[in-house]
Amino acid sequence: MNKQVNQYSFLRTIILVSTFGGLLFGYDTGVINGALPFMSQEDQLNLNSFTEGLVTSSLLLGAAFGALFCGRLSDYIGRRKNILYLSILFFVSTLGCTLAPNVTIIVIFRFLLGLAVGGASAVVPTFLAEMSPVENRGKMVTQNELMIVSGQLLAFTFNAIIGSAMGDNSNAWRYMLPIAALPAIFLFFGMLKVPESPRWLVSKGKNEDALSVLRKIREEKRAKSEFNEIKAAVAEESDMEKASFKDLSVRWVRRIVFLGIGIGAVQQITGVNSIMYYGTAILKEAGFATKAALIGNIANGVISVLATFVGIWLLGKFGRRPLLLVGLIGTTTTLLLIAILSGLLEGSAAFPYIILTLTVTFLAFQQGMISPVTWLLLSEIFPLRLRGFGMGIAVFGSWIVNFCVGLMFPILLDKIGLSMTFFIFVVLGIGAITFVKTCLPETKGLSLEELEHNFRTYKNKSSKKLSDNKVV
């Protein structure tokens, strides 16, 4: 019994350390929210609506390429070593952004920081899925989503504290950014003590090492059983070439890859990151002063964390597909209310508080249902041989959509206003609901190897029939 407790404790340590990649993801994407008003001032970077979008979205473009490159790289050098290298990139690029003297330099370092963020977004969920037992995979993989929103809450909180304490000091943003260097240091030293994924080890013929890792995180009988299951899955793929774009000529592979791209895009076209990156700007547009907007924005971070706890609980009770549908209906409805009320109530005393209430409601649906399900699904659907490659492509697509949102949102806000901008997100949300309802299979209760078998043997069944496979 004591050995089993130690095994579970070690697995929890692995999850905690590796998800610091998610914490960095969250902090580095969230900190720009409060830093922009200070960066934009004339004696700092003197940003307009276009350069605001450029500074914000340069990280997102970098993240797209980071996901694509690191997803593939993790198949070659391993998940653990990849995360270790990313921690160094997080540290160096964070300091580069902090010390940037002009727009050009900060855009370059934000792009490099994006490479780290995108790499973490692709590799960490894959690593967690491969280390987790099937019955707890949903709970354990979504720990990363919890760390992402915790990182964003930390960013919003430090933004408000530093912004309030430093008053009108336009250098405040240079104190907000470098805080992310601390978790990068923890991630580096923590990953030195974390073992490699047993599934990756088997894929490289390191069977003894893989079994040794499994024995540290599973009871003996289960470790051997899971080891044999992994070996069988690898043997089935042994006669195939390494994953590449040529695999897209295979129908079932093409279906999974396009499904992954669709899942990643669905998360972004809700408009969530318009709120996570520009929440302070939205609240200022609604009528709050800068300090009040920074403090009000903490509510967005708090509800994101609380909703993620609820989301982890919901994933243990319900299937991925119904949760995603309910979440999308909730976010789309909330966006519709923001769009309508922005046109009707703009300028009224109650308007800022109504917008804050609606953004909090939006994030409850987004972070409680959509985001946890998205990252979990992406970590589950790809077979072992395609996992790094497929995850990289899917997350690349997700970040490209995110880049477009990050670049265009301040420009749309400036040119067509709050109401019309959110009407655009409503239309996109309806498209996302249609995609999930018609294309998405259910994955709950199936091992990664069983999911691979289902996709391989899938012929002309409808998406709904596939989604009925073994849901527990």
Side-chain angles (χ1 to χ4, degrees):
M1 180 67 180
N2 188 45
K3 186 178 179 182
Q4 193 173 345
V5 171
N6 289 339
Q7 288 162 342
Y8 185 74
S9 176
F10 186 51
L11 182 58
R12 294 292 306 168
T13 300
I14 291 169
I15 291 166
L16 175 64
V17 170
S18 58
T19 53
F20 261 74
L23 185 79
L24 285 159
F25 172 167
Y27 191 92
D28 287 320
T29 54
V31 71
I32 198 70
N33 195 319
L36 276 175
F38 297 97
M39 282 182 183
S40 300
Q41 293 182 31
E42 286 185 20
D43 63 333
Q44 294 300 308
L45 302 183
N46 194 24
L47 305 178
N48 55 35
S49 63
F50 172 72
T51 49
E52 270 191 25
L54 191 62
V55 168
T56 301
S57 62
S58 55
L59 181 146
L60 311 178
L61 185 62
F65 288 98
L68 189 64
F69 175 72
C70 289
R72 192 66 184 274
L73 185 64
S74 73
D75 285 342
Y76 287 99
I77 68 171
R79 320 317 188 194
R80 172 187 169 273
K81 193 176 287 187
N82 202 327
I83 296 170
L84 199 61
Y85 291 156
L86 288 172
S87 67
I88 298 170
L89 185 55
F90 269 119
F91 182 81
V92 172
S93 52
T94 293
L95 295 185
C97 289
T98 302
L99 301 172
N102 54 49
V103 172
T104 302
I105 299 299
I106 198 169
V107 165
I108 291 169
F109 276 103
R110 286 275 294 173
F111 180 84
L112 293 174
L113 185 59
L115 292 176
V117 168
S121 72
V123 180
V124 173
T126 298
F127 181 67
L128 293 174
E130 292 183 347
M131 297 297 277
S132 303
V134 60
E135 69 277 8
N136 288 327
R137 190 172 66 235
K139 181 179 178 182
M140 290 184 176
V141 173
T142 49
Q143 295 294 316
N144 191 54
E145 174 63 22
L146 179 60
M147 290 293 264
I148 292 170
V149 295
S150 297
Q152 289 170 333
L153 174 58
L154 281 174
F156 299 159
T157 303
F158 280 118
N159 286 348
I161 292 170
I162 293 169
S164 298
M166 298 191 71
D168 297 324
N169 187 337
S170 56
N171 268 314
W173 66 276
R174 295 191 188 273
Y175 294 87
M176 297 172 178
L177 302 187
I179 293 169
L182 297 176
I185 294 169
F186 179 88
L187 180 63
F188 176 81
F189 287 104
M191 288 306 294
L192 291 175
K193 299 182 179 297
V194 167
E196 183 53 85
S197 156
R199 284 172 169 80
W200 182 84
L201 290 168
V202 171
S203 74
K204 298 300 177 184
K206 300 179 180 181
N207 291 354
E208 289 185 12
D209 292 340
L211 186 56
S212 174
V213 172
L214 283 167
R215 282 174 170 153
K216 291 177 183 176
I217 56 177
R218 307 278 195 275
E219 60 175 3
E220 179 66 23
K221 184 178 177 182
R222 179 154 188 187
K224 288 181 178 178
S225 171
E226 193 168 325
F227 174 69
N228 290 330
E229 193 176 48
I230 296 167
K231 271 207 311 181
V234 171
E236 192 175 346
E237 299 176 342
S238 62
D239 59 338
M240 300 180 186
E241 296 177 6
K242 284 293 174 188
S244 71
F245 285 101
K246 289 189 295 184
D247 288 292
L248 295 179
S249 63
V250 180
R251 185 178 178 185
W252 71 271
V253 171
R254 187 167 62 246
R255 179 172 180 266
I256 295 174
V257 170
F258 285 127
L259 189 63
I261 293 169
I263 292 167
V266 159
Q267 182 193 24
Q268 305 301 341
I269 62 177
T270 60
V272 56
N273 288 316
S274 63
I275 293 171
M276 301 315 289
Y277 306 153
Y278 300 110
T280 303
I282 290 170
L283 294 178
K284 283 181 68 179
E285 178 83 7
F288 282 114
T290 299
K291 285 184 185 178
L294 284 168
I295 294 167
N297 202 51
I298 294 175
N300 289 338
V302 170
I303 198 65
S304 293
V305 172
L306 294 177
T308 303
F309 276 112
V310 174
I312 291 170
W313 177 80
L314 289 172
L315 280 168
K317 301 290 182 182
F318 304 100
R320 304 357 176 184
R321 193 168 174 269
L323 278 179
L324 196 52
L325 277 171
V326 172
L328 285 168
I329 292 167
T331 54
T332 305
T333 303
T334 308
L335 290 171
L336 181 62
L337 288 172
I338 292 175
I340 293 170
L341 294 176
S342 294
L344 295 176
L345 300 177
E346 190 169 8
S348 69
F351 182 59
Y353 301 97
I354 291 170
I355 291 298
L356 180 59
T357 302
L358 288 173
T359 57
V360 164
T361 304
F362 172 90
L363 289 170
F365 283 108
Q366 176 76 32
Q367 310 292 23
M369 297 180 183
I370 298 172
S371 293
V373 172
T374 297
W375 292 111
L376 177 56
L377 281 169
L378 289 178
S379 73
E380 292 177 328
I381 63 172
F382 297 106
L384 180 60
R385 191 179 68 90
L386 289 165
R387 195 158 292 145
F389 174 72
M391 185 75 165
I393 291 176
V395 180
F396 173 80
S398 175
W399 282 110
I400 286 293
V401 176
N402 197 345
F403 166 74
C404 294
V405 172
L407 179 63
M408 293 305 299
F409 185 80
I411 298 171
L412 290 172
L413 198 62
D414 184 42
K415 302 299 182 186
I416 64 175
L418 199 63
S419 181
M420 286 304 299
T421 299
F422 278 95
F423 269 123
I424 292 172
F425 285 123
V426 170
V427 173
L428 293 173
I430 293 169
I433 293 168
T434 305
F435 169 79
V436 171
K437 195 164 179 60
T438 56
C439 301
L440 192 68
E442 183 57 74
T443 61
K444 184 172 166 39
L446 298 170
S447 72
L448 298 178
E449 288 68 36
E450 286 172 321
L451 280 170
E452 177 176 347
H453 174 75
N454 283 356
F455 279 114
R456 280 177 174 276
T457 56
Y458 174 81
K459 299 294 183 185
N460 295 313
K461 299 176 186 177
S462 71
S463 180
K464 184 173 189 313
K465 285 182 181 176
L466 180 60
S467 74
D468 289 336
N469 282 333
K470 192 183 173 185
V471 180
V472 294

